[in-house]
Amino acid sequence: MNAPASHLHALKLSELIGSLSYALDITEGQPPGHCLRCCWIGTHIGRRIGLPEAQLWELYYTLLLKDLGCSSNAARICELYLTDDLNFKRDYKTVGDSLPQVLGFVLKHTGLKAGLAERFRSVMTILRDGPEIARDLVATRCQRGAEIARLLRFPQGVSDGIYSLDEHFNGGGKPARIAGEAIPIYSRIALLAQVIDVFHTAGGRAAARAGARARAGQWFDPRLVEAFEAVALSDTFWQTLAGSDIERAVSDIQPFGAGQESPLDDDYLDDIATAFGQVVDAKSPYTSGHSARVALYTDMIGEALGMSEARRRWLKRGALLHDVGKLGVSNSVLDKAGALDRSEWDAVKLHAEFTETILGRIGAFRELAAIAGAHHERLDGTGYPRGLSADDIRIETRIITTADIFDAITAVRPYRGAIPIPQALEMMGKTVGSALDPDCYDALVRAVERVPFPQAA
């Protein structure tokens, strides 16, 4: 079967980025569609203040991609706060600047499942070093987000807009404490749009308007709050924001700009898959480079099986994105060193469904979505999420599964060190026919023999 190139080449940048923004929403603990709703809000504010079309285009993508760096501080949040990073991130977006609000947030979110002494030490450390900790967390996120925006080939304006997302108009934000109009206009609009959406989702129009007004001159540029107040007079604006057709509405308001009408070529699709693979891998210190390695091993197995170069290139994108659903799983589970309990294991297993859901939103990726989402299925029917049996598991999925297991065994994990390649292959060989496809396993063995891997890899 040949790669569905014609479908891929019909794909538009706005469709792809809009769909992948759903992955960023679940990483931030936000209801699905958060970035799309922010894009709807922020683009209307940008039009209201008279931004020219080229700047509106950059603003549009800043809003869709504002959370690109969100996975990079998840592990650190879990380590510091002994908590679920998804709930922490969701609630942090509305914490004000006053000491009682900050203290209340820390006490409410720190170490709720930890022992009393451990929780006490964590809370005291955060209260002592809180400003520096918060600045470091935001700086990590902002810097990583800006880097990935550049990998996605967006202009410097988009990268800068993402970097300064958490700066406040009064100079009390992070990471650089810049103030007023020194903050990029895209960042000022994105922060306002983000908070409007969080308040609107929780409490409706009145809560959104009150939240914006209360922070005017502090977090937000007063001129932008005024522009939002004018936009907020429209019932249609609110109805669309709360409606089920928000994705199409956001696509319809995309400003004219470079790349809007240009189909995505294979090189750019490869770059996008690589960049989002990095977003996934940044979530845990134990998964650094995992997506890229699985893509490499997938390609090596595909080559050994005689798969065409075009099909291998297409499948590599699926391998790069196979774990995108892990963005919806808390690091408190992903990085746990001990055995997982039933609820934790159920949470981990959800990542396969999340992967299929996220990729399935992209019309041209539907085939890849099914292939990548099934990478934990087993030939004997005991895998997840659907318990598929051998006849229902495609060869492409079997390849990614083999590559994924090989990397999982040969990489360092929270509970053990890396296992040498010969031992890893021996362990895998025992599951051939039950978990692993015999042809894919043989292809992996042949491929590995051709490469001088270090023995302790």
Side-chain angles (χ1 to χ4, degrees):
M1 185 175 181
N2 294 325
S6 59
H7 294 296
L8 288 172
H9 286 269
L11 185 62
K12 292 293 190 294
L13 182 62
S14 58
E15 180 193 351
L16 183 56
I17 298 300
S19 296
L20 288 172
S21 74
Y22 268 70
L24 305 180
D25 297 338
I26 61 175
T27 315
E28 283 293 273
Q30 293 297 324
H34 169 67
C35 288
L36 284 168
R37 293 190 299 272
C38 288
C39 190
W40 175 258
I41 296 164
T43 302
H44 277 81
I45 293 171
R47 287 201 195 283
R48 183 72 194 182
I49 65 171
L51 287 182
E53 202 73 4
Q55 282 190 280
L56 283 170
W57 187 89
E58 293 190 358
L59 171 64
Y60 182 92
Y61 282 102
T62 299
L63 291 158
L64 283 178
L65 295 170
K66 68 184 183 63
D67 292 326
L68 265 182
C70 55
S71 61
S72 60
N73 60 16
R76 184 74 173 134
I77 285 172
C78 283
E79 178 188 349
L80 288 167
Y81 291 87
L82 306 173
T83 192
D84 178 338
D85 54 297
L86 303 180
N87 289 329
F88 179 98
K89 288 182 169 208
R90 181 195 65 220
D91 296 343
Y92 188 71
K93 281 183 165 57
T94 57
V95 178
D97 296 324
S98 72
L99 182 60
Q101 285 179 298
V102 173
L103 283 176
F105 178 82
V106 168
L107 292 170
K108 183 180 176 184
H109 287 80
T110 303
L112 299 185
K113 293 185 179 180
L116 192 59
E118 189 180 8
R119 182 174 186 235
F120 178 73
R121 285 193 298 272
S122 293
V123 169
M124 294 307 293
T125 298
I126 291 160
L127 294 180
R128 184 190 70 212
D129 302 330
E132 184 179 349
I133 288 171
R135 192 162 51 249
D136 287 348
L137 286 172
V138 172
T140 299
R141 166 204 159 106
C142 293
Q143 184 173 352
R144 191 73 187 118
E147 287 171 1
I148 295 173
R150 287 191 287 271
L151 281 176
L152 289 168
R153 306 188 192 177
F154 283 100
Q156 189 67 37
V158 174
S159 182
D160 291 345
I162 292 169
Y163 183 80
S164 297
L165 172 67
D166 288 292
E167 299 290 358
H168 292 173
F169 197 72
N170 65 1
K174 306 172 189 69
R177 300 184 71 85
I178 53 179
E181 296 195 0
I183 303 169
I185 185 64
Y186 308 151
S187 307
R188 281 179 272 153
I189 293 174
L191 179 65
L192 175 57
Q194 169 177 288
V195 174
I196 289 168
D197 181 59
V198 171
F199 274 105
H200 177 255
T201 299
R205 298 186 196 185
R209 295 175 77 169
R213 281 193 211 109
R215 290 165 174 76
Q218 298 171 40
W219 286 23
F220 307 138
D221 181 340
R223 180 175 68 114
L224 297 179
V225 176
E226 284 179 22
F228 165 63
E229 290 281 17
V231 168
L233 297 174
S234 164
D235 281 340
T236 303
F237 169 81
W238 293 108
Q239 288 162 2
T240 305
L241 181 64
S244 59
D245 211 15
I246 185 69
E247 190 164 8
R248 185 190 60 77
V250 167
S251 179
D252 288 346
I253 64 165
Q254 183 187 358
F256 179 79
Q260 183 197 19
E261 297 302 328
S262 302
L264 301 174
D265 62 22
D266 281 314
D267 288 343
Y268 199 3
L269 284 166
D270 291 344
D271 287 350
I272 290 170
T274 299
F276 271 85
Q278 290 188 20
V279 174
V280 177
D281 291 352
K283 187 161 168 62
S284 169
Y286 297 102
T287 57
S288 177
H290 172 67
S291 297
R293 291 192 302 270
V294 171
L296 171 63
Y297 302 148
T298 292
D299 195 48
M300 290 167 63
I301 295 168
E303 181 185 40
L305 287 172
M307 187 176 280
S308 73
E309 188 173 343
R311 191 65 173 172
R312 279 164 42 209
R313 186 175 192 178
W314 174 81
L315 186 58
K316 270 177 64 181
R317 293 179 198 133
L320 285 163
L321 296 168
H322 78 285
D323 267 347
V324 70
K326 279 189 177 172
L327 294 175
V329 181
S330 172
N331 281 70
S332 62
V333 175
L334 288 179
D335 296 343
K336 185 175 178 180
L340 301 180
D341 63 29
R342 173 61 65 85
S343 65
E344 290 169 334
W345 179 235
D346 287 344
V348 169
K349 290 199 292 186
L350 279 174
H351 85 272
E353 293 179 51
F354 287 156
T355 289
E356 184 166 357
T357 299
I358 292 162
L359 297 183
R361 299 187 63 81
I362 306 163
F365 275 28
R366 284 224 177 97
E367 188 184 359
L368 270 182
I371 287 167
H375 70 276
H376 282 291
E377 301 288 0
R378 291 169 53 103
L379 300 181
D380 62 9
T382 63
Y384 64 88
R386 292 194 170 89
L388 300 178
S389 56
D391 290 346
D392 297 315
I393 303 173
R394 294 175 49 161
I395 184 62
E396 294 90 351
T397 294
R398 298 176 187 211
I399 292 170
I400 294 178
T401 298
T402 306
D404 184 49
I405 291 174
F406 180 65
D407 188 63
I409 296 175
T410 55
V412 174
R413 282 293 181 259
Y415 44 87
R416 60 153 175 79
I419 291 173
I421 287 174
Q423 187 181 342
L425 292 174
E426 183 181 344
M427 291 167 64
M428 292 175 69
K430 294 174 182 175
T431 68
V432 169
S434 56
L436 295 178
D437 178 272
D439 293 337
C440 293
Y441 174 76
D442 289 344
L444 172 67
V445 172
R446 293 198 307 274
V448 167
E449 286 173 349
R450 295 174 57 189
V451 179
F453 281 109
Q455 283 306 301

